Amino acid sequence: MAISFIRIDDRIIHGQVVTRWMSERKCDGVVAVDDPSATNPVLAKMLKSAVPSPLKGFVLTEAELVQKWPKIVESKRQYFLIARSPETLVRIFESGVDFISEQKELNVGPMSVRDGAKKYGKNLSMITTEEAAFDTLQKNGMTVSFQLVPDSKKKMWAELKAEGGER
């Protein structure tokens, strides 16, 4: 499998990803998919620089990921796939990027407070379309869990959904 870890994190590539999760999962590089970050050269460079050498960091648009996906999955390297939102994962999956066959577990990290979002706990807020995206990913075979770092408590999407969140 070329994808060893899939994560939703609104900070994309940062310290928790590179220090904590990479010590838990095999990783030769990080593939971040986020159109705004990939099309901003300064931000893309900053995100790539957060990946420690000798690992490789890539910041791609959704279209670039769709195009490069066959090469990524044929690689003998192990990559983390990281997106800012679950909606991104749904769009790329519907475009033919079958990351679910590579890695069935989706880890969700921080999702910041925004207008119209329900709060599900510290560092976790979702808008309606994100909730629907998690439902879609789960329906397509993913196990969706929420866990900031490896040693923190893990909650499953069904548990959080049953709690209902707070406005």
Side-chain angles (χ1 to χ4, degrees), residues 12 32-41 43-44 47 59-62 64:
I12 309 175
V33 57
D34 182 61
D35 286 2
S37 298
T39 56
N40 179 327
L43 186 53
L47 289 169
V59 181
L60 306 174
T61 64
E62 292 175 26
E64 289 170 332

Side-chain angles (χ1 to χ4, degrees), residues 150-161:
D151 56 353
S152 65
K153 186 177 183 328
K154 181 190 289 191
K155 277 203 150 181
M156 304 309 290
W157 173 228
E159 291 176 75
L160 284 175
K161 192 173 173 181

Side-chain angles (χ1 to χ4, degrees), residues 101-117:
S101 67
E102 291 289 316
Q103 177 57 251
K104 296 203 180 306
E105 184 179 343
L106 171 62
N107 169 267
V108 183
M111 296 175 69
S112 298
V113 174
R114 290 150 287 146
D115 287 340

Side-chain angles (χ1 to χ4, degrees), residues 118 120 131 135 138 156-165:
K118 282 187 204 173
Y120 282 89
E131 293 169 331
D135 287 338
Q138 188 169 285
M156 304 309 290
W157 173 228
E159 291 176 75
L160 284 175
K161 192 173 173 181
E163 291 172 9

Side-chain angles (χ1 to χ4, degrees), residues 118-129:
K118 282 187 204 173
K119 189 169 176 144
Y120 282 89
K122 186 178 180 187
N123 301 320
L124 185 60
S125 296
M126 285 179 250
I127 57 175
T128 305
T129 54

Side-chain angles (χ1 to χ4, degrees), residues 58-158:
F58 304 92
V59 181
L60 306 174
T61 64
E62 292 175 26
E64 289 170 332
L65 182 70
V66 170
Q67 178 188 2
K68 294 178 183 199
W69 186 250
K71 188 174 181 179
I72 293 169
V73 295
E74 289 170 6
S75 172
K76 295 192 183 337
R77 298 186 182 273
Q78 296 286 302
Y79 294 101
F80 282 9
L81 175 62
I82 303 175
R84 186 183 303 268
S85 81
E87 296 157 305
T88 299
L89 291 183
V90 169
R91 284 192 299 272
I92 63 173
F93 183 77
E94 291 173 347
S95 295
V97 174
D98 186 8
F99 52 83
I100 297 172
S101 67
E102 291 289 316
Q103 177 57 251
K104 296 203 180 306
E105 184 179 343
L106 171 62
N107 169 267
V108 183
M111 296 175 69
S112 298
V113 174
R114 290 150 287 146
D115 287 340
K118 282 187 204 173
K119 189 169 176 144
Y120 282 89
K122 186 178 180 187
N123 301 320
L124 185 60
S125 296
M126 285 179 250
I127 57 175
T128 305
T129 54
E130 291 167 335
E131 293 169 331
F134 285 127
D135 287 338
T136 298
L137 293 167
Q138 188 169 285
K139 184 181 80 178
N140 282 288
M142 289 205 94
T143 301
V144 180
S145 63
F146 298 77
Q147 186 177 23
L148 292 178
V149 291
D151 56 353
S152 65
K153 186 177 183 328
K154 181 190 289 191
K155 277 203 150 181
M156 304 309 290
W157 173 228

Side-chain angles (χ1 to χ4, degrees), residues 10-69:
D10 64 6
R11 296 176 291 176
I12 309 175
I13 304 171
H14 60 89
Q16 285 179 348
V17 171
V18 297
T19 60
R20 301 296 302 280
W21 288 106
M22 287 180 181
S23 68
E24 297 288 321
R25 306 283 180 107
K26 182 159 175 35
C27 180
D28 298 307
V30 176
V31 177
V33 57
D34 182 61
D35 286 2
S37 298
T39 56
N40 179 327
V42 173
L43 186 53
K45 185 176 182 176
M46 182 193 73
L47 289 169
K48 286 186 240 182
S49 72
V51 178
S53 185
L55 305 180
K56 299 284 185 190
F58 304 92
V59 181
L60 306 174
T61 64
E62 292 175 26
E64 289 170 332
L65 182 70
V66 170
Q67 178 188 2
K68 294 178 183 199
W69 186 250

